[in-house]
Amino acid sequence: MEINCKLEEYINNQIIPEYNKNETAHGIEHIEYVINRSLKLAKKYNLNLDIAYTIAAYHDIGHHIDAKNHEKVSADIFYHDEYIHNFFNDDEITVIKEAIEDHRASSKNDPRSIYGKIVSDADKNTEVEIFFKRSIIYTFKYYPNYSKEQCLERVYNYCIEKFGEEGYAKSYLEDEKYEEYLKSLRNLIKNKTEFKNMFETIYKQIV
């Protein structure tokens, strides 16, 4: 199964460029990563590639408008895009909208469909260095007056909150690469000296 060429053309020309408006952690590099992982998972489970591709392409499009509620904003942007409706029936439109709404790792509810589970899992980073980079950049943007020490504490506590043994990050589908990533972060949480050393390395690269 291949992606509809007209759909791919529209998304490449009209949707992907919108990600230049987002901050780096949710920019074009990120969206391409999520699209690629979503398609791999969709193929693994023999699902509709057009649906998986579209969900991934739209899932963060509203991040620059309202970061805290971007899943709802992104779903609304998709839903009110009249042209995209040409490629899907009403039931598929609903599945796509709900999957976009459901993709956030911090959501209290599980995704309502396997497509929502796919984009949620595909949205998860699997590289420890990228976790540090994105977390530091986020801190620079939203806590610009933080010292390096305060930045370190925020990143460390966020890592515990999200990826610790009781963290809110969930994985819905089998993914060995993500499990290795999770294990690496939990080992760093247990050894704050190593965590600090990794932080220092990435911090210097960014600054």
Side-chain angles (χ1 to χ4, degrees), residues 31-207:
I31 204 64
E32 290 177 344
Y33 169 85
V34 176
I35 286 173
N36 288 335
R37 276 180 48 83
S38 291
L39 291 176
K40 286 180 181 178
L41 288 169
K43 290 175 182 177
K44 179 178 179 179
Y45 289 93
N46 197 28
L47 298 173
N48 185 305
L49 297 187
D50 288 351
I51 292 176
Y53 174 63
T54 302
I55 293 166
Y58 280 83
H59 85 282
D60 276 348
I61 195 171
H63 199 278
H64 67 281
I65 298 172
D66 184 353
K68 292 184 178 180
N69 299 291
H70 74 273
E71 72 281 8
K72 296 177 181 178
V73 176
S74 298
D76 284 343
I77 290 172
F78 160 77
Y79 191 72
H80 291 100
D81 184 338
E82 294 182 3
Y83 184 78
I84 205 72
H85 285 233
N86 293 322
F87 299 99
F88 305 102
N89 61 40
D90 290 346
D91 288 342
E92 291 169 336
I93 291 291
T94 298
V95 167
I96 295 169
K97 181 175 183 292
E98 290 179 348
I100 295 169
E101 292 172 341
D102 294 345
H103 82 268
R104 290 190 75 169
S106 57
S107 175
K108 295 180 180 179
N109 300 313
D110 291 348
R112 286 166 279 186
S113 72
I114 190 170
Y115 289 100
K117 292 176 180 178
I118 282 176
V119 72
S120 181
D121 279 6
D123 195 33
K124 293 175 175 64
N125 170 45
T126 56
E127 301 292 337
V128 171
E129 292 81 2
I130 294 176
F131 162 76
F132 279 91
K133 181 179 179 181
R134 292 181 66 176
S135 300
I136 292 168
I137 290 173
Y138 181 95
T139 305
F140 284 172
K141 180 174 181 178
Y142 292 101
Y143 303 90
N145 296 321
Y146 270 22
S147 65
K148 183 170 71 171
E149 290 71 24
Q150 288 174 311
C151 183
L152 168 62
E153 287 304 310
R154 187 205 161 270
V155 173
Y156 181 71
N157 290 330
Y158 169 63
C159 190
I160 295 173
E161 179 185 3
K162 186 171 184 179
F163 300 108
E165 297 293 341
E166 303 298 324
Y168 64 79
K170 303 176 184 178
S171 182
Y172 299 102
L173 305 172
E174 185 177 333
D175 188 340
E176 291 182 3
K177 192 171 184 180
Y178 180 74
E179 290 301 321
E180 291 175 3
Y181 166 76
L182 193 59
K183 182 178 180 180
S184 296
L185 284 177
R186 287 177 176 172
N187 286 337
L188 285 171
I189 288 171
K190 293 174 184 176
N191 189 330
K192 195 170 182 179
T193 299
E194 288 188 15
F195 189 99
K196 183 178 180 180
N197 290 339
M198 178 70 76
F199 171 88
E200 291 278 0
T201 299
I202 304 301
Y203 190 94
K204 289 177 182 178
Q205 292 175 1
I206 295 172
V207 172

